[in-house]
Every structure is written in C-alpha cells, then in structure tokens.
Amino acid sequence: MKRKWKVGELARMAGLTVRTLRYYDQIGLYSPSGHTESGHRIYVESDLARLQQIQSLKELGLTLEEIKAALGGERFSMLEIVSLQIERLKQNISVQQKLLQELESVANRIQRDEPLTVENFANVLASMRKTHEKFFAERRSSWDRHLDRLGDFLESRPETPYSGG
C-alpha cells in the first residue's frame, strides 16, 4: 500500500506552509493526487518527487511561473538556469552597491559637518528596504509555518466548552 500524506503533514516534512501548498495548487503548479471524502488534500510519493523538483528549481532562482513552465514540458537548459541565477545575483549586488553608496554619502556629510536632509534619509531607507525584502519574506514564511502548526494543533483537539473567566 502506498504511503499517503495530508497537506499539513506534507507541509511539515517539506518545511513549507500549508498556505504555500494551497497556493501552489491554486496556480496549478502542484496539486494533490486526490482528496479524502471530507475534502482534505492527499499526496502520494510521486507528489513528493514533484515537490522536490519545485523546491530545487526555486533554490536555483526560478520564479514560480518559470518553474511551472519548466515542469510543464518547456525545457530549460542548465545554462539558462545558471544564467537566470547570474542575472538575479547581479541585481542583488546592484541593490547592495546602491545601499553602500547611500550610506557612504551620509557618512561623508556627517564627517564634513553638513546637515542631513530628509532626502538623504529617504534614499538610505529605500535602499535598506530593497536589501531587506528577502529577510522579511523569510521571516513572514517562518511565522506562517508557526501559524499553520498552531492551526493544525487546534483542529486536532476536540472541542472543549469555554469555562469563562
């Protein structure tokens, strides 16, 4: 008999959120093999292999749209994937260099005892926001996983009457 997993179990195994798996299903990237009578998504071993491919391609820097195309039969050569990674890395370096320039500009103004303008701070903050977007996306994903676990825990508990207080 083949092993089957519900969406919460699969999410925990893969280090993803239930919300992420539901979203992948919604956009047609990753759908379950079936559903239980009560409507819960059921995944089997072949689904795990596809999820591994998705996560690997995502790690290589492909967008979900690109991953969907690649897994849908559109072939990406290894060179194309590496080229995408190189391009994204260059973009990240460019964002980091912009932040460095803004911070150096502010430091130079401070050393020369020149007043700092609102524009100076706005430029630094804008550069910092771009730099930290990935960090905050990862944080949000971590919180989503915790909330999903809490939801799974609450769903697994039998209803207990509220005792008031």
PDB file of all heavy atoms in Angstrom, residues 120-151:
ATOM      1  N   ASN A 120      18.274  62.559   2.085  1.00  0.00           N
ATOM      2  CA  ASN A 120      19.371  61.633   2.421  1.00  0.00           C
ATOM      3  C   ASN A 120      18.834  60.407   3.151  1.00  0.00           C
ATOM      4  O   ASN A 120      19.170  59.272   2.809  1.00  0.00           O
ATOM      5  CB  ASN A 120      20.418  62.311   3.313  1.00  0.00           C
ATOM      6  CG  ASN A 120      21.154  63.440   2.636  1.00  0.00           C
ATOM      7  OD1 ASN A 120      21.286  64.530   3.209  1.00  0.00           O
ATOM      8  ND2 ASN A 120      21.635  63.215   1.435  1.00  0.00           N
ATOM      9  N   PHE A 121      18.005  60.653   4.160  1.00  0.00           N
ATOM     10  CA  PHE A 121      17.448  59.541   4.930  1.00  0.00           C
ATOM     11  C   PHE A 121      16.484  58.711   4.099  1.00  0.00           C
ATOM     12  O   PHE A 121      16.465  57.491   4.189  1.00  0.00           O
ATOM     13  CB  PHE A 121      16.749  60.049   6.197  1.00  0.00           C
ATOM     14  CG  PHE A 121      17.713  60.446   7.267  1.00  0.00           C
ATOM     15  CD1 PHE A 121      17.882  61.776   7.612  1.00  0.00           C
ATOM     16  CD2 PHE A 121      18.466  59.494   7.929  1.00  0.00           C
ATOM     17  CE1 PHE A 121      18.770  62.150   8.596  1.00  0.00           C
ATOM     18  CE2 PHE A 121      19.367  59.854   8.913  1.00  0.00           C
ATOM     19  CZ  PHE A 121      19.525  61.194   9.251  1.00  0.00           C
ATOM     20  N   ALA A 122      15.687  59.366   3.265  1.00  0.00           N
ATOM     21  CA  ALA A 122      14.734  58.644   2.418  1.00  0.00           C
ATOM     22  C   ALA A 122      15.473  57.711   1.461  1.00  0.00           C
ATOM     23  O   ALA A 122      15.050  56.571   1.240  1.00  0.00           O
ATOM     24  CB  ALA A 122      13.865  59.624   1.650  1.00  0.00           C
ATOM     25  N   ASN A 123      16.585  58.164   0.892  1.00  0.00           N
ATOM     26  CA  ASN A 123      17.373  57.334  -0.020  1.00  0.00           C
ATOM     27  C   ASN A 123      17.967  56.119   0.698  1.00  0.00           C
ATOM     28  O   ASN A 123      17.958  55.000   0.172  1.00  0.00           O
ATOM     29  CB  ASN A 123      18.489  58.154  -0.671  1.00  0.00           C
ATOM     30  CG  ASN A 123      17.964  59.165  -1.660  1.00  0.00           C
ATOM     31  OD1 ASN A 123      16.839  59.061  -2.140  1.00  0.00           O
ATOM     32  ND2 ASN A 123      18.770  60.171  -1.959  1.00  0.00           N
ATOM     33  N   VAL A 124      18.490  56.353   1.908  1.00  0.00           N
ATOM     34  CA  VAL A 124      19.055  55.244   2.679  1.00  0.00           C
ATOM     35  C   VAL A 124      17.963  54.247   3.032  1.00  0.00           C
ATOM     36  O   VAL A 124      18.134  53.026   2.863  1.00  0.00           O
ATOM     37  CB  VAL A 124      19.761  55.758   3.953  1.00  0.00           C
ATOM     38  CG1 VAL A 124      20.107  54.600   4.889  1.00  0.00           C
ATOM     39  CG2 VAL A 124      21.023  56.533   3.590  1.00  0.00           C
ATOM     40  N   LEU A 125      16.825  54.742   3.491  1.00  0.00           N
ATOM     41  CA  LEU A 125      15.733  53.856   3.883  1.00  0.00           C
ATOM     42  C   LEU A 125      15.210  53.059   2.690  1.00  0.00           C
ATOM     43  O   LEU A 125      14.916  51.860   2.815  1.00  0.00           O
ATOM     44  CB  LEU A 125      14.603  54.655   4.536  1.00  0.00           C
ATOM     45  CG  LEU A 125      14.933  55.228   5.920  1.00  0.00           C
ATOM     46  CD1 LEU A 125      13.801  56.129   6.397  1.00  0.00           C
ATOM     47  CD2 LEU A 125      15.211  54.127   6.917  1.00  0.00           C
ATOM     48  N   ALA A 126      15.103  53.698   1.543  1.00  0.00           N
ATOM     49  CA  ALA A 126      14.633  52.992   0.342  1.00  0.00           C
ATOM     50  C   ALA A 126      15.609  51.885  -0.040  1.00  0.00           C
ATOM     51  O   ALA A 126      15.190  50.768  -0.386  1.00  0.00           O
ATOM     52  CB  ALA A 126      14.451  53.972  -0.811  1.00  0.00           C
ATOM     53  N   SER A 127      16.896  52.182   0.029  1.00  0.00           N
ATOM     54  CA  SER A 127      17.907  51.169  -0.291  1.00  0.00           C
ATOM     55  C   SER A 127      17.896  50.037   0.723  1.00  0.00           C
ATOM     56  O   SER A 127      18.026  48.860   0.364  1.00  0.00           O
ATOM     57  CB  SER A 127      19.298  51.806  -0.333  1.00  0.00           C
ATOM     58  OG  SER A 127      19.381  52.727  -1.397  1.00  0.00           O
ATOM     59  N   MET A 128      17.707  50.380   1.996  1.00  0.00           N
ATOM     60  CA  MET A 128      17.663  49.352   3.034  1.00  0.00           C
ATOM     61  C   MET A 128      16.441  48.458   2.853  1.00  0.00           C
ATOM     62  O   MET A 128      16.520  47.248   3.037  1.00  0.00           O
ATOM     63  CB  MET A 128      17.642  50.002   4.415  1.00  0.00           C
ATOM     64  CG  MET A 128      18.976  50.607   4.812  1.00  0.00           C
ATOM     65  SD  MET A 128      18.901  51.527   6.352  1.00  0.00           S
ATOM     66  CE  MET A 128      18.559  50.222   7.515  1.00  0.00           C
ATOM     67  N   ARG A 129      15.317  49.048   2.488  1.00  0.00           N
ATOM     68  CA  ARG A 129      14.092  48.271   2.296  1.00  0.00           C
ATOM     69  C   ARG A 129      14.299  47.230   1.205  1.00  0.00           C
ATOM     70  O   ARG A 129      13.936  46.067   1.352  1.00  0.00           O
ATOM     71  CB  ARG A 129      12.914  49.183   1.943  1.00  0.00           C
ATOM     72  CG  ARG A 129      11.601  48.439   1.803  1.00  0.00           C
ATOM     73  CD  ARG A 129      10.420  49.373   1.604  1.00  0.00           C
ATOM     74  NE  ARG A 129      10.746  50.634   0.985  1.00  0.00           N
ATOM     75  CZ  ARG A 129      10.627  50.892  -0.323  1.00  0.00           C
ATOM     76  NH1 ARG A 129      10.185  49.988  -1.135  1.00  0.00           N
ATOM     77  NH2 ARG A 129      10.941  52.068  -0.811  1.00  0.00           N
ATOM     78  N   LYS A 130      14.917  47.642   0.089  1.00  0.00           N
ATOM     79  CA  LYS A 130      15.176  46.696  -1.001  1.00  0.00           C
ATOM     80  C   LYS A 130      16.118  45.592  -0.556  1.00  0.00           C
ATOM     81  O   LYS A 130      15.960  44.432  -0.940  1.00  0.00           O
ATOM     82  CB  LYS A 130      15.758  47.435  -2.207  1.00  0.00           C
ATOM     83  CG  LYS A 130      14.756  48.281  -2.941  1.00  0.00           C
ATOM     84  CD  LYS A 130      15.386  48.977  -4.115  1.00  0.00           C
ATOM     85  CE  LYS A 130      14.396  49.889  -4.808  1.00  0.00           C
ATOM     86  NZ  LYS A 130      15.017  50.653  -5.880  1.00  0.00           N
ATOM     87  N   THR A 131      17.095  45.948   0.274  1.00  0.00           N
ATOM     88  CA  THR A 131      18.073  44.987   0.744  1.00  0.00           C
ATOM     89  C   THR A 131      17.443  43.963   1.682  1.00  0.00           C
ATOM     90  O   THR A 131      17.804  42.789   1.669  1.00  0.00           O
ATOM     91  CB  THR A 131      19.221  45.705   1.489  1.00  0.00           C
ATOM     92  OG1 THR A 131      19.760  46.699   0.631  1.00  0.00           O
ATOM     93  CG2 THR A 131      20.323  44.747   1.878  1.00  0.00           C
ATOM     94  N   HIS A 132      16.492  44.418   2.455  1.00  0.00           N
ATOM     95  CA  HIS A 132      15.926  43.561   3.490  1.00  0.00           C
ATOM     96  C   HIS A 132      14.626  42.864   3.091  1.00  0.00           C
ATOM     97  O   HIS A 132      14.069  42.125   3.878  1.00  0.00           O
ATOM     98  CB  HIS A 132      15.716  44.372   4.770  1.00  0.00           C
ATOM     99  CG  HIS A 132      17.001  44.823   5.378  1.00  0.00           C
ATOM    100  ND1 HIS A 132      17.508  46.078   5.168  1.00  0.00           N
ATOM    101  CD2 HIS A 132      17.907  44.157   6.141  1.00  0.00           C
ATOM    102  CE1 HIS A 132      18.661  46.188   5.798  1.00  0.00           C
ATOM    103  NE2 HIS A 132      18.929  45.046   6.392  1.00  0.00           N
ATOM    104  N   GLU A 133      14.167  43.053   1.871  1.00  0.00           N
ATOM    105  CA  GLU A 133      12.913  42.425   1.445  1.00  0.00           C
ATOM    106  C   GLU A 133      12.969  40.905   1.574  1.00  0.00           C
ATOM    107  O   GLU A 133      12.023  40.280   2.044  1.00  0.00           O
ATOM    108  CB  GLU A 133      12.563  42.821   0.009  1.00  0.00           C
ATOM    109  CG  GLU A 133      11.972  44.205  -0.095  1.00  0.00           C
ATOM    110  CD  GLU A 133      11.749  44.665  -1.525  1.00  0.00           C
ATOM    111  OE1 GLU A 133      12.180  43.971  -2.469  1.00  0.00           O
ATOM    112  OE2 GLU A 133      11.152  45.732  -1.687  1.00  0.00           O
ATOM    113  N   LYS A 134      14.077  40.303   1.188  1.00  0.00           N
ATOM    114  CA  LYS A 134      14.198  38.844   1.274  1.00  0.00           C
ATOM    115  C   LYS A 134      14.167  38.388   2.728  1.00  0.00           C
ATOM    116  O   LYS A 134      13.505  37.407   3.068  1.00  0.00           O
ATOM    117  CB  LYS A 134      15.480  38.363   0.597  1.00  0.00           C
ATOM    118  CG  LYS A 134      15.596  36.858   0.594  1.00  0.00           C
ATOM    119  CD  LYS A 134      16.782  36.362  -0.166  1.00  0.00           C
ATOM    120  CE  LYS A 134      16.812  34.848  -0.160  1.00  0.00           C
ATOM    121  NZ  LYS A 134      17.943  34.308  -0.864  1.00  0.00           N
ATOM    122  N   PHE A 135      14.865  39.129   3.604  1.00  0.00           N
ATOM    123  CA  PHE A 135      14.876  38.783   5.021  1.00  0.00           C
ATOM    124  C   PHE A 135      13.459  38.774   5.571  1.00  0.00           C
ATOM    125  O   PHE A 135      13.046  37.838   6.253  1.00  0.00           O
ATOM    126  CB  PHE A 135      15.740  39.766   5.813  1.00  0.00           C
ATOM    127  CG  PHE A 135      15.595  39.632   7.302  1.00  0.00           C
ATOM    128  CD1 PHE A 135      16.252  38.620   7.980  1.00  0.00           C
ATOM    129  CD2 PHE A 135      14.792  40.511   8.015  1.00  0.00           C
ATOM    130  CE1 PHE A 135      16.115  38.488   9.357  1.00  0.00           C
ATOM    131  CE2 PHE A 135      14.655  40.383   9.387  1.00  0.00           C
ATOM    132  CZ  PHE A 135      15.310  39.376  10.053  1.00  0.00           C
ATOM    133  N   PHE A 136      12.687  39.817   5.266  1.00  0.00           N
ATOM    134  CA  PHE A 136      11.332  39.900   5.797  1.00  0.00           C
ATOM    135  C   PHE A 136      10.418  38.861   5.169  1.00  0.00           C
ATOM    136  O   PHE A 136       9.516  38.345   5.829  1.00  0.00           O
ATOM    137  CB  PHE A 136      10.769  41.317   5.624  1.00  0.00           C
ATOM    138  CG  PHE A 136      11.436  42.308   6.537  1.00  0.00           C
ATOM    139  CD1 PHE A 136      12.181  43.349   6.021  1.00  0.00           C
ATOM    140  CD2 PHE A 136      11.335  42.180   7.911  1.00  0.00           C
ATOM    141  CE1 PHE A 136      12.812  44.255   6.857  1.00  0.00           C
ATOM    142  CE2 PHE A 136      11.964  43.080   8.760  1.00  0.00           C
ATOM    143  CZ  PHE A 136      12.710  44.125   8.242  1.00  0.00           C
ATOM    144  N   ALA A 137      10.638  38.513   3.924  1.00  0.00           N
ATOM    145  CA  ALA A 137       9.849  37.453   3.287  1.00  0.00           C
ATOM    146  C   ALA A 137      10.119  36.125   3.987  1.00  0.00           C
ATOM    147  O   ALA A 137       9.190  35.346   4.232  1.00  0.00           O
ATOM    148  CB  ALA A 137      10.185  37.357   1.806  1.00  0.00           C
ATOM    149  N   GLU A 138      11.387  35.867   4.344  1.00  0.00           N
ATOM    150  CA  GLU A 138      11.728  34.640   5.062  1.00  0.00           C
ATOM    151  C   GLU A 138      11.114  34.636   6.451  1.00  0.00           C
ATOM    152  O   GLU A 138      10.618  33.619   6.924  1.00  0.00           O
ATOM    153  CB  GLU A 138      13.244  34.475   5.142  1.00  0.00           C
ATOM    154  CG  GLU A 138      13.876  34.133   3.806  1.00  0.00           C
ATOM    155  CD  GLU A 138      15.393  34.211   3.815  1.00  0.00           C
ATOM    156  OE1 GLU A 138      15.981  34.591   4.855  1.00  0.00           O
ATOM    157  OE2 GLU A 138      15.995  33.896   2.781  1.00  0.00           O
ATOM    158  N   ARG A 139      11.122  35.788   7.124  1.00  0.00           N
ATOM    159  CA  ARG A 139      10.515  35.909   8.447  1.00  0.00           C
ATOM    160  C   ARG A 139       9.019  35.629   8.377  1.00  0.00           C
ATOM    161  O   ARG A 139       8.462  34.923   9.194  1.00  0.00           O
ATOM    162  CB  ARG A 139      10.716  37.323   9.015  1.00  0.00           C
ATOM    163  CG  ARG A 139      11.977  37.472   9.739  1.00  0.00           C
ATOM    164  CD  ARG A 139      11.789  36.815  11.093  1.00  0.00           C
ATOM    165  NE  ARG A 139      13.018  36.916  11.809  1.00  0.00           N
ATOM    166  CZ  ARG A 139      13.522  35.939  12.521  1.00  0.00           C
ATOM    167  NH1 ARG A 139      12.911  34.802  12.593  1.00  0.00           N
ATOM    168  NH2 ARG A 139      14.624  36.098  13.159  1.00  0.00           N
ATOM    169  N   ARG A 140       8.364  36.217   7.368  1.00  0.00           N
ATOM    170  CA  ARG A 140       6.926  36.032   7.184  1.00  0.00           C
ATOM    171  C   ARG A 140       6.622  34.550   6.942  1.00  0.00           C
ATOM    172  O   ARG A 140       5.680  33.999   7.504  1.00  0.00           O
ATOM    173  CB  ARG A 140       6.409  36.887   6.033  1.00  0.00           C
ATOM    174  CG  ARG A 140       4.909  36.844   5.875  1.00  0.00           C
ATOM    175  CD  ARG A 140       4.389  37.775   4.797  1.00  0.00           C
ATOM    176  NE  ARG A 140       5.027  37.555   3.516  1.00  0.00           N
ATOM    177  CZ  ARG A 140       5.798  38.437   2.884  1.00  0.00           C
ATOM    178  NH1 ARG A 140       6.019  39.618   3.391  1.00  0.00           N
ATOM    179  NH2 ARG A 140       6.340  38.139   1.727  1.00  0.00           N
ATOM    180  N   SER A 141       7.457  33.892   6.157  1.00  0.00           N
ATOM    181  CA  SER A 141       7.275  32.469   5.887  1.00  0.00           C
ATOM    182  C   SER A 141       7.408  31.662   7.175  1.00  0.00           C
ATOM    183  O   SER A 141       6.648  30.723   7.418  1.00  0.00           O
ATOM    184  CB  SER A 141       8.293  32.007   4.856  1.00  0.00           C
ATOM    185  OG  SER A 141       8.183  30.633   4.644  1.00  0.00           O
ATOM    186  N   SER A 142       8.362  32.032   8.023  1.00  0.00           N
ATOM    187  CA  SER A 142       8.551  31.348   9.297  1.00  0.00           C
ATOM    188  C   SER A 142       7.323  31.524  10.179  1.00  0.00           C
ATOM    189  O   SER A 142       6.836  30.563  10.783  1.00  0.00           O
ATOM    190  CB  SER A 142       9.787  31.907   9.998  1.00  0.00           C
ATOM    191  OG  SER A 142       9.905  31.366  11.293  1.00  0.00           O
ATOM    192  N   TRP A 143       6.797  32.731  10.237  1.00  0.00           N
ATOM    193  CA  TRP A 143       5.584  32.975  11.029  1.00  0.00           C
ATOM    194  C   TRP A 143       4.409  32.196  10.452  1.00  0.00           C
ATOM    195  O   TRP A 143       3.596  31.646  11.197  1.00  0.00           O
ATOM    196  CB  TRP A 143       5.252  34.464  11.094  1.00  0.00           C
ATOM    197  CG  TRP A 143       6.001  35.131  12.201  1.00  0.00           C
ATOM    198  CD1 TRP A 143       7.094  35.929  12.096  1.00  0.00           C
ATOM    199  CD2 TRP A 143       5.735  35.006  13.605  1.00  0.00           C
ATOM    200  NE1 TRP A 143       7.522  36.306  13.343  1.00  0.00           N
ATOM    201  CE2 TRP A 143       6.702  35.763  14.282  1.00  0.00           C
ATOM    202  CE3 TRP A 143       4.775  34.325  14.338  1.00  0.00           C
ATOM    203  CZ2 TRP A 143       6.728  35.863  15.671  1.00  0.00           C
ATOM    204  CZ3 TRP A 143       4.805  34.431  15.730  1.00  0.00           C
ATOM    205  CH2 TRP A 143       5.774  35.192  16.380  1.00  0.00           C
ATOM    206  N   ASP A 144       4.294  32.132   9.136  1.00  0.00           N
ATOM    207  CA  ASP A 144       3.217  31.366   8.505  1.00  0.00           C
ATOM    208  C   ASP A 144       3.288  29.900   8.919  1.00  0.00           C
ATOM    209  O   ASP A 144       2.264  29.272   9.196  1.00  0.00           O
ATOM    210  CB  ASP A 144       3.275  31.480   6.977  1.00  0.00           C
ATOM    211  CG  ASP A 144       2.789  32.820   6.460  1.00  0.00           C
ATOM    212  OD1 ASP A 144       2.147  33.569   7.239  1.00  0.00           O
ATOM    213  OD2 ASP A 144       3.050  33.125   5.281  1.00  0.00           O
ATOM    214  N   ARG A 145       4.500  29.336   8.953  1.00  0.00           N
ATOM    215  CA  ARG A 145       4.659  27.946   9.371  1.00  0.00           C
ATOM    216  C   ARG A 145       4.192  27.754  10.812  1.00  0.00           C
ATOM    217  O   ARG A 145       3.505  26.783  11.134  1.00  0.00           O
ATOM    218  CB  ARG A 145       6.114  27.489   9.223  1.00  0.00           C
ATOM    219  CG  ARG A 145       6.476  27.073   7.817  1.00  0.00           C
ATOM    220  CD  ARG A 145       7.782  26.306   7.772  1.00  0.00           C
ATOM    221  NE  ARG A 145       8.922  27.095   8.186  1.00  0.00           N
ATOM    222  CZ  ARG A 145       9.598  27.922   7.394  1.00  0.00           C
ATOM    223  NH1 ARG A 145       9.240  28.072   6.141  1.00  0.00           N
ATOM    224  NH2 ARG A 145      10.622  28.608   7.848  1.00  0.00           N
ATOM    225  N   HIS A 146       4.563  28.709  11.697  1.00  0.00           N
ATOM    226  CA  HIS A 146       4.135  28.612  13.089  1.00  0.00           C
ATOM    227  C   HIS A 146       2.615  28.706  13.206  1.00  0.00           C
ATOM    228  O   HIS A 146       2.001  27.954  13.967  1.00  0.00           O
ATOM    229  CB  HIS A 146       4.791  29.700  13.938  1.00  0.00           C
ATOM    230  CG  HIS A 146       6.261  29.519  14.130  1.00  0.00           C
ATOM    231  ND1 HIS A 146       6.808  28.408  14.734  1.00  0.00           N
ATOM    232  CD2 HIS A 146       7.305  30.310  13.788  1.00  0.00           C
ATOM    233  CE1 HIS A 146       8.123  28.517  14.765  1.00  0.00           C
ATOM    234  NE2 HIS A 146       8.448  29.659  14.182  1.00  0.00           N
ATOM    235  N   LEU A 147       2.024  29.615  12.455  1.00  0.00           N
ATOM    236  CA  LEU A 147       0.566  29.756  12.489  1.00  0.00           C
ATOM    237  C   LEU A 147      -0.121  28.516  11.942  1.00  0.00           C
ATOM    238  O   LEU A 147      -1.155  28.083  12.466  1.00  0.00           O
ATOM    239  CB  LEU A 147       0.136  31.002  11.716  1.00  0.00           C
ATOM    240  CG  LEU A 147       0.512  32.334  12.365  1.00  0.00           C
ATOM    241  CD1 LEU A 147       0.204  33.496  11.423  1.00  0.00           C
ATOM    242  CD2 LEU A 147      -0.206  32.517  13.689  1.00  0.00           C
ATOM    243  N   ASP A 148       0.450  27.920  10.895  1.00  0.00           N
ATOM    244  CA  ASP A 148      -0.117  26.685  10.351  1.00  0.00           C
ATOM    245  C   ASP A 148      -0.057  25.564  11.384  1.00  0.00           C
ATOM    246  O   ASP A 148      -1.008  24.800  11.541  1.00  0.00           O
ATOM    247  CB  ASP A 148       0.618  26.253   9.079  1.00  0.00           C
ATOM    248  CG  ASP A 148       0.193  27.046   7.865  1.00  0.00           C
ATOM    249  OD1 ASP A 148      -0.884  27.670   7.902  1.00  0.00           O
ATOM    250  OD2 ASP A 148       0.940  27.045   6.873  1.00  0.00           O
ATOM    251  N   ARG A 149       1.070  25.457  12.095  1.00  0.00           N
ATOM    252  CA  ARG A 149       1.187  24.421  13.131  1.00  0.00           C
ATOM    253  C   ARG A 149       0.161  24.646  14.238  1.00  0.00           C
ATOM    254  O   ARG A 149      -0.456  23.694  14.724  1.00  0.00           O
ATOM    255  CB  ARG A 149       2.601  24.411  13.721  1.00  0.00           C
ATOM    256  CG  ARG A 149       3.580  23.704  12.842  1.00  0.00           C
ATOM    257  CD  ARG A 149       4.897  23.453  13.569  1.00  0.00           C
ATOM    258  NE  ARG A 149       5.932  23.564  12.582  1.00  0.00           N
ATOM    259  CZ  ARG A 149       6.957  24.401  12.628  1.00  0.00           C
ATOM    260  NH1 ARG A 149       7.125  25.187  13.640  1.00  0.00           N
ATOM    261  NH2 ARG A 149       7.839  24.438  11.662  1.00  0.00           N
ATOM    262  N   LEU A 150      -0.009  25.902  14.636  1.00  0.00           N
ATOM    263  CA  LEU A 150      -0.996  26.216  15.657  1.00  0.00           C
ATOM    264  C   LEU A 150      -2.390  25.843  15.167  1.00  0.00           C
ATOM    265  O   LEU A 150      -3.173  25.235  15.900  1.00  0.00           O
ATOM    266  CB  LEU A 150      -0.942  27.704  16.019  1.00  0.00           C
ATOM    267  CG  LEU A 150      -1.994  28.189  17.017  1.00  0.00           C
ATOM    268  CD1 LEU A 150      -1.867  27.448  18.347  1.00  0.00           C
ATOM    269  CD2 LEU A 150      -1.861  29.694  17.216  1.00  0.00           C
ATOM    270  N   GLY A 151      -2.698  26.174  13.912  1.00  0.00           N
ATOM    271  CA  GLY A 151      -3.994  25.820  13.337  1.00  0.00           C
ATOM    272  C   GLY A 151      -4.198  24.316  13.306  1.00  0.00           C
ATOM    273  O   GLY A 151      -5.274  23.823  13.668  1.00  0.00           O
TER     274      GLY A 151
END
